[in-house]
Amino acid sequence: MPTKSKILLAVFALLVPQMLWANAGTPLMWFTAFYLFFANLSLGIIEGIILAVIGKNKYLKSILLAILANFVSFIAGYAILEVFQAIFTSLIFDLKGLYSFWIVSLSILYFVTVYVEAYFFSLAYPKTVRSYIKTLKMSYFINIVSYIGMIVGFFTYSNYSFLSDLEVNQAILDKKYDFELYVYHDHQILADTLSNEFNGSLIKQISEEYSRMYFKLVKDTLSNKLTLTLEENRYDDKNRSVMIQKDFLPKEYRCRNGKFADFNLTQRIDFRESNKEWDIRYNKSWAANGFTIRYLNRNKAAENFALEVPWMSWVPDEFTILNNKEMLFLIGGRLVLMNIETKEIAYITRANSYAIRKLE
């Protein structure tokens, strides 16, 4: 089941050394969907054959029960992971007990799978010799075999996680930044200078009647500057929007092939005026792709960072390059700062969307 495979992927991150450049690709995303429909079926067939051979049961009955057991255990495991998600998101950038949390979660899920599937395995036996305790022992063995099989199968697809390669260091925010930060979160727009202790003064309260909203910069043809608005995330001509700050940015900060037009902040903004040594490439469609830092110096290898770990697929988005060392981006509803040179990351605040401008 997907829960098994994703948890095992975290074990790979602990046990298998990984290079700085890792081919994240897209396999985990599509492989998860593939796994839902086909891998549970495949595992059920394999486990059913083992159940039939060891227990001397009927093959067809054993296979059908094992398939059912896999899908039921997947549902149970998924429900547990949903609970863990709330806990995990509160730890993600502090990294307190992160790996221990993964290992404990893996152990819990393994035992849940064992006990759930043991019941279905017991049904393969005739009523006269049916024993849950007996099939429980068999379930321990069968699931060890299936876990090992998944380790081998997913070894090729082990994914690069920036959490294991970036050091979390809040101290990198302990300096004066000449940037003003606007954050939209929980129907509120807050503004403050970029710092380690972003508190934010309330700029505007947004009505709850609006759906999910995101910052957008719109070109003002009269002032030739960009106005900050908040716009609904809808794909039609009836988007509702709220103007937040007129003349928020001078247009020269908008960098994309020298063209300036309305754009969502899912496209990166670059505040560097010259000496650009690197750039960001990313695809917001796939968490496994993450983002790539490409250096203009072709002798320096590109670096890829992604966060595709157990029970979580967070897509990095809304990049802002502050200078040749630092950039901001959103991931998992959190705004973070990353130092490209030191490979350090710091948590700033929770945010659905954000906008930033340079102070005069």
Side-chain angles (χ1 to χ4, degrees):
M1 62 185 183
T3 52
K4 295 179 184 176
S5 60
K6 287 189 174 183
I7 296 298
L8 288 169
L9 215 52
V11 176
F12 290 140
L14 297 176
L15 301 179
V16 182
Q18 296 186 1
M19 299 172 60
L20 182 61
W21 169 256
N23 182 18
T26 60
L28 196 56
M29 293 294 291
W30 68 260
F31 208 79
T32 300
F34 169 85
Y35 203 93
L36 281 169
F37 294 102
F38 300 103
N40 272 315
L41 179 63
S42 302
L43 273 179
I45 293 173
I46 294 171
E47 292 180 1
I49 292 173
I50 297 174
L51 177 64
V53 171
I54 295 178
K56 297 180 180 179
N57 298 307
K58 295 181 179 179
Y59 278 88
L60 181 58
K61 184 178 181 180
S62 298
I63 290 172
L64 292 176
L65 285 169
I67 291 173
L68 180 60
N70 268 273
F71 278 99
V72 172
S73 63
F74 159 70
I75 295 171
Y78 184 81
I80 291 174
L81 293 185
E82 285 293 297
V83 175
F84 284 179
Q85 173 78 10
I87 301 173
F88 192 65
T89 53
S90 67
L91 302 174
I92 187 66
F93 286 110
D94 292 332
L95 299 186
K96 296 176 181 178
L98 176 64
Y99 293 127
S100 298
F101 188 79
W102 282 353
I103 293 171
V104 170
S105 302
L106 171 64
S107 301
I108 292 174
L109 289 172
Y110 171 76
F111 285 110
V112 167
T113 302
V114 166
Y115 281 86
V116 169
E117 293 188 359
Y119 168 75
F120 291 94
F121 292 165
S122 68
L123 300 180
Y125 290 85
K127 290 183 178 181
T128 53
V129 294
R130 187 174 297 170
S131 170
Y132 179 77
I133 300 301
K134 179 180 179 180
T135 52
L136 183 62
K137 295 178 181 178
M138 186 177 297
S139 183
Y140 274 106
F141 170 75
I142 290 177
N143 277 284
I144 286 176
V145 173
S146 63
Y147 266 65
I148 292 175
M150 284 183 291
I151 289 176
V152 175
F154 279 87
F155 183 85
T156 306
Y157 299 101
S158 60
N159 190 53
Y160 179 87
S161 169
F162 69 70
L163 290 181
S164 60
D165 290 87
L166 293 182
E167 179 183 353
V168 176
N169 181 12
Q170 290 299 125
I172 64 177
L173 279 167
D174 290 338
K175 62 180 181 180
K176 186 177 181 180
Y177 285 92
D178 56 348
F179 288 96
E180 184 180 27
L181 180 64
Y182 282 59
V183 168
Y184 175 58
H185 181 64
D186 285 344
H187 301 287
Q188 291 184 331
I189 297 176
L190 306 175
D192 200 350
T193 55
L194 176 61
S195 68
N196 198 2
E197 297 180 354
F198 178 87
N199 295 315
S201 57
L202 181 63
I203 299 297
K204 198 174 188 65
Q205 183 76 37
I206 305 300
S207 173
E208 293 188 7
E209 69 180 84
Y210 286 79
S211 60
R212 295 182 64 186
M213 312 244 335
Y214 295 86
F215 282 129
K216 181 178 180 180
L217 292 174
V218 180
K219 183 180 177 181
D220 187 324
T221 55
L222 295 177
S223 66
N224 206 25
K225 293 183 179 181
L226 296 172
T227 296
L228 181 66
T229 66
L230 198 65
E231 184 171 290
E232 279 189 297
N233 185 31
R234 293 168 57 188
Y235 299 96
D236 57 40
D237 296 328
K238 298 180 181 179
N239 286 354
R240 291 181 289 183
S241 63
V242 180
M243 190 184 80
I244 306 302
Q245 182 67 55
K246 187 175 177 60
D247 297 344
F248 185 79
L249 282 180
K251 71 171 188 177
E252 54 262 28
Y253 287 134
R254 170 68 182 115
C255 303
R256 188 182 183 187
N257 301 324
K259 298 179 180 179
F260 305 100
D262 297 357
F263 70 100
N264 292 316
L265 293 182
T266 52
Q267 302 170 21
R268 68 136 178 85
I269 293 178
D270 191 345
F271 282 100
R272 297 173 300 179
E273 296 180 0
S274 60
N275 301 320
K276 298 180 180 182
E277 301 174 0
W278 50 272
D279 202 358
I280 295 293
R281 295 288 184 273
Y282 69 105
N283 183 345
K284 60 179 293 184
S285 300
W286 300 98
N289 279 346
F291 63 91
T292 301
I293 300 173
R294 298 187 184 278
Y295 294 92
L296 298 183
N297 182 354
R298 296 185 180 276
N299 294 325
K300 194 169 184 178
E303 300 164 343
N304 179 252
F305 300 90
L307 182 52
E308 180 82 7
V309 293
W311 62 84
M312 193 175 92
S313 299
W314 283 0
V315 181
D317 201 359
E318 298 195 22
F319 286 81
T320 299
I321 300 175
L322 301 178
N323 49 58
N324 254 332
K325 293 183 179 180
E326 297 169 311
M327 69 176 180
L328 302 175
F329 61 92
L330 287 178
I331 186 165
R334 298 175 183 230
L335 179 63
V336 299
L337 180 138
M338 175 179 171
N339 188 302
I340 306 300
E341 290 188 350
T342 62
K343 300 298 182 289
E344 293 174 310
I345 193 168
Y347 166 73
I348 300 172
T349 184
R350 292 184 179 273
N352 295 16
S353 185
Y354 78 98
I356 190 166
R357 64 178 173 180
K358 204 164 189 175
L359 296 172
E360 298 297 333

